[in-house]
Amino acid sequence: MKQLYALSFLFSLAACTTIVVDEPPVDGLVSIGFSPQAETRAAVTGTELPNGSRFNVWGGYGGNNVFSGREVTKTANGCIYQGTEYWMPGQTYNFYAVYPAGLKADAVAVTDEGTVTVSGFDCSATGDAAVDLMTASATSVLADRVINSQSAVGLKFRHLLSLLTFTFENKLASHSIDVTNLRLTIAVKADYLSTSSPSWMNHASDRKEFAFYPAEAPLGVANSVSATSAPLLVIPQENAGIIVTFTVNIREAYADGGSLVFSKRYAVPLATGEQTVADRNGGSVVVEDQWYTGCRYNYKAVIPENVMDGQDITLTVSIKDWDIEDTSVSWDDDDEGNAVNNP
C-alpha cells in the first residue's frame, strides 16, 4: 500500500532525517527526500517555498523514471509525496522539478535529459493569484553519498519570468501626490523551452492591458519620499514598443481630501536598451530591448519639484537579477526614454 513520505525539513540544507508514515523502516534502504529553496526576492516568501507549496518532480537513474511528474508538497515538517522511493546503491540520479504543481498536465513536459517545455503559459493573473513559474534540477546525484549522509536532494528553483515594479519618487517638499490609472499592455501567453535561446517563444498576438490604482484606490506618495507599486510577473518579451501610462495628481489640503490643483497623464516607453544580464550557466548575455528570464525591472519615475510649472518627469530603469543587482540603464534629457506628455 502506498503511503505518504515525510521528510524532516531543514531549509539550511543540513542533513535531514526521513520518516515513512505508518510504514516500518526497510532495513538497509534510505528513502529519497527533497529540500527545495527559491532564489531570493521571489514572489514566494523570502528564500523558501511557503508551507503548502506544491511542485512536480521528474527523474531517476539509468533510464528508470522513478519520478515522472510526481507531486511533492512542502509542509512545516518537511516534504511529502505519495509513495516511498528508495535509493539504489551504486546508481547516479538526475532530478528535475517544475513549480508550481497544478499546471495543465499536457502543458508541461520534461525529457530524460532534463529539457523542460511549458506550452501556452498564461501570466495574466496578478496579486496573490500570480504564478511564479520556476524550475530546478539536481544532476549527477550519487546514491551512495546520499545514503551515507542521510541527506535530502537540494533543489534550487530559478525564476522563468520577469518581475516589474514602478517606483514614484516625489521631489515636492510642499505636496503629497497620488498616482492613478497605471496601465500597460503586453503579451500574456507564450511557450517556454529550456534548451532554446531565447527560452520564450510563440508569444500570443492577442495582448492584455493591465490596469492598477483606480481613482478610488490610488498609490499615495508623501512629500519628499518614494512609493513602489505592487510587483507584476510577466513573460519575458520584447519591450521596445511597450508604453506605461499613469496620472499624477496633486491636491491642496491633501490629508482632508482637498481640491485637485494639478493632474497630468504621462506616457513612458519601457524599452530597456542594450543590457548585459546573467545567463543560466553562470555567464552573461547581451540583449536589447527585452525583458529577460529571471530579471527584475524597477522603473523609477521622478516627479520634480517644479512639475506644476511644466518640468517633466524623468525615468530610470534598474535591471537586476532576481537576487543580486546586475546592471542599470538610464536616459538623459535627450534620450527616448524620457516621459512624454500626453494630456
Side-chain angles (χ1 to χ4, degrees):
M1 181 179 67
K2 290 187 175 181
Q3 304 293 334
L4 284 179
Y5 157 89
L7 168 68
S8 178
F9 178 86
L10 293 179
F11 187 72
S12 63
L13 304 187
C16 301
T17 302
T18 58
I19 304 170
V20 179
V21 179
D22 296 331
E23 184 175 298
V26 180
D27 292 341
L29 296 180
V30 175
S31 52
I32 299 174
F34 299 98
S35 180
Q37 66 176 133
E39 292 176 307
T40 57
R41 299 185 183 274
V44 296
T45 304
T47 57
E48 70 175 78
L49 299 178
N51 294 335
S53 295
R54 299 176 297 119
F55 53 94
N56 296 110
V57 174
W58 289 257
Y61 63 93
N64 294 291
N65 293 317
V66 180
F67 293 86
S68 184
R70 186 98 52 106
E71 184 175 293
V72 178
T73 301
K74 191 230 176 210
T75 72
N77 298 318
C79 289
I80 59 174
Y81 59 82
Q82 189 68 35
T84 307
E85 304 294 345
Y86 297 97
W87 294 102
M88 293 297 294
Q91 299 296 331
T92 300
Y93 287 71
N94 295 319
F95 297 100
Y96 309 97
V98 175
Y99 172 95
L103 299 175
K104 292 182 180 179
D106 58 353
V108 181
V110 180
T111 68
D112 292 346
E113 295 74 30
T115 298
V116 178
T117 303
V118 182
S119 302
F121 181 79
D122 189 330
C123 73
S124 58
T126 60
D128 293 339
V131 178
D132 186 8
L133 184 65
M134 296 187 284
T135 57
S137 64
T139 59
S140 301
V141 180
L142 301 178
D144 292 348
R145 182 176 297 175
V146 178
I147 291 170
N148 290 334
S149 63
Q150 299 280 300
S151 59
V153 176
L155 292 172
K156 182 176 181 179
F157 284 89
R158 294 184 176 276
H159 301 276
L160 303 185
L161 302 177
S162 301
L163 187 149
L164 309 183
T165 50
F166 297 90
T167 294
F168 297 89
E169 182 178 357
N170 181 12
K171 289 290 190 179
L172 281 77
S174 57
H175 291 81
S176 298
I177 68 172
D178 64 62
V179 177
T180 58
N181 201 21
L182 188 152
R183 295 173 179 267
L184 68 158
T185 300
I186 63 171
V188 295
K189 293 182 180 179
D191 300 331
Y192 173 82
L193 179 61
S194 62
T195 55
S196 68
S197 182
S199 301
W200 287 93
M201 61 195 72
N202 302 325
H203 293 75
S205 57
D206 55 324
R207 302 158 74 84
K208 175 181 177 178
E209 181 184 65
F210 290 94
F212 304 93
Y213 304 108
E216 63 273 16
L219 175 65
V221 190
N223 51 306
S224 301
V225 300
S226 300
T228 300
S229 70
L232 179 65
L233 289 168
V234 304
I235 291 172
Q237 60 193 272
E238 292 182 1
N239 54 36
I242 297 177
I243 304 292
V244 64
T245 60
F246 55 87
T247 299
V248 174
N249 306 294
I250 303 176
R251 306 174 193 276
E252 294 291 357
Y254 196 94
D256 300 324
S259 60
L260 186 69
V261 296
F262 176 88
S263 181
K264 198 167 192 176
R265 187 143 186 86
Y266 295 90
V268 183
L270 295 184
T272 45
E274 186 176 282
Q275 52 181 297
T276 301
V277 295
D279 65 19
R280 292 341 222 165
N281 299 315
S284 61
V285 60
V286 177
V287 296
E288 185 171 359
D289 288 338
Q290 65 176 277
W291 293 318
Y292 191 74
T293 301
C295 286
R296 298 182 295 126
Y297 297 84
N298 178 247
Y299 291 89
K300 183 170 73 171
V302 178
I303 315 302
E305 176 69 32
N306 297 321
V307 66
M308 288 188 286
D309 297 325
Q311 185 176 355
D312 224 336
I313 69 168
T314 58
L315 178 80
T316 299
V317 57
S318 175
I319 306 166
K320 302 179 181 180
D321 187 75
W322 218 280
D323 55 352
I324 58 173
E325 182 170 347
D326 182 65
T327 186
S328 64
V329 175
S330 63
W331 298 279
D332 59 29
D333 292 341
D334 297 326
D335 284 341
E336 185 177 341
N338 274 333
V340 178
N341 284 339
N342 188 17

